[in-house]
Amino acid sequence: MSDSIGMPRVRVATTSLAGCFGCHMSFLDMDERLLELAKIVEFDRSPLTDIKHCGPCDIGLIEGGVCNAENVHVLREFRRNCKTLVAIGACAINGGLPAQRNHLDLGDCLQQVYVGRDGIEEGGVPDDPELPLLLDRVHPIHEVVRVDYFIPGCPPSGEAIWKFLTDLIGGRTPRLAHPLLRFD
Ligand code: SF4
């Protein structure tokens, strides 16, 4: 697809692995600039589309760390198909909140949540074969695939995501000035 002056649009895919969708909400916080972005970008797999698999793309944005086998599969598919892969937010960069379970035994965690809690009768750890296999720890995405850029924050602001994307699409090395960098 092309924009109104015939330039090919930049194809962008996004996904949330072990994240809370807060980074995607921050993406939407670009507000009216989303309309500007829509003139130069078309979306592949993303919560904004109903595309199930990432196809060939210019940019892939990954929210969340890697906590299960499906996350590994999706992340590798993004790496294969995206020329530039970006870790967006603390969970993708260092595992974030989900990685707090890394210092606990996974079996104990599952027992605590599904079996040993007050109010649960005849509980059991879910074992439906459709459920993706949990990894014993939550990994930042760079431990699984090569990552080109990292946007810190929990979540990064919409302003930071806008600056990053417009730099990258404009052929400039993305640079976030100090006020746009956050680590909370
Ligand atoms: S970095 Fe923060 S906002 Fe983004 S997915 Fe993780 S917890 Fe949610």
Side-chain angles (χ1 to χ4, degrees), residues 15-17 45 52-53 65-77 130-135:
T15 192
S16 178
L17 304 178
R45 175 178 169 153
K52 306 293 186 208
H53 292 281
V66 181
C67 78
N68 63 35
E70 185 194 22
N71 292 163
V72 175
H73 174 77
V74 171
L75 181 57
R76 287 183 173 155
E77 183 180 76
E130 292 275 319
L131 292 172
L133 187 68
L134 282 177
L135 305 181

Side-chain angles (χ1 to χ4, degrees), residues 7-155:
M7 296 287 287
R9 286 188 183 164
V10 174
R11 199 161 176 87
V12 175
T14 79
T15 192
S16 178
L17 304 178
C20 74
F21 275 94
C23 290
H24 275 81
M25 294 306 292
S26 215
F27 188 97
L28 297 178
D29 269 349
M30 281 191 260
D31 297 330
E32 69 276 5
R33 284 171 299 191
L34 284 171
L35 299 176
E36 291 299 306
L37 200 64
K39 294 177 187 167
I40 53 175
V41 158
E42 62 179 342
F43 284 99
D44 193 90
R45 175 178 169 153
S46 161
L48 302 170
T49 68
D50 197 28
I51 299 172
K52 306 293 186 208
H53 292 281
C54 178
C57 284
D58 299 291
I59 302 171
L61 301 174
I62 307 288
E63 168 193 300
V66 181
C67 78
N68 63 35
E70 185 194 22
N71 292 163
V72 175
H73 174 77
V74 171
L75 181 57
R76 287 183 173 155
E77 183 180 76
F78 266 69
R79 180 64 278 180
R80 270 197 311 277
N81 284 290
C82 299
K83 292 178 191 159
T84 301
L85 196 69
V86 183
I88 177 166
C91 295
I93 293 173
N94 60 31
L97 281 176
Q100 288 194 353
R101 76 163 163 85
N102 286 356
H103 66 281
L104 303 171
D105 178 81
L106 179 58
D108 288 347
C109 280
L110 292 170
Q111 289 289 321
Q112 285 284 331
V113 171
Y114 292 106
V115 181
R117 293 177 74 175
D118 291 343
I120 292 184
E121 288 181 21
E122 299 178 16
V125 177
D127 60 356
D128 190 299
E130 292 275 319
L131 292 172
L133 187 68
L134 282 177
L135 305 181
D136 62 349
R137 58 188 295 273
V138 179
H139 298 264
I141 67 169
H142 70 266
E143 287 186 1
V144 180
V145 297
R146 178 175 57 80
V147 176
D148 301 296
Y149 291 99
F150 301 81
I151 310 178
C154 180

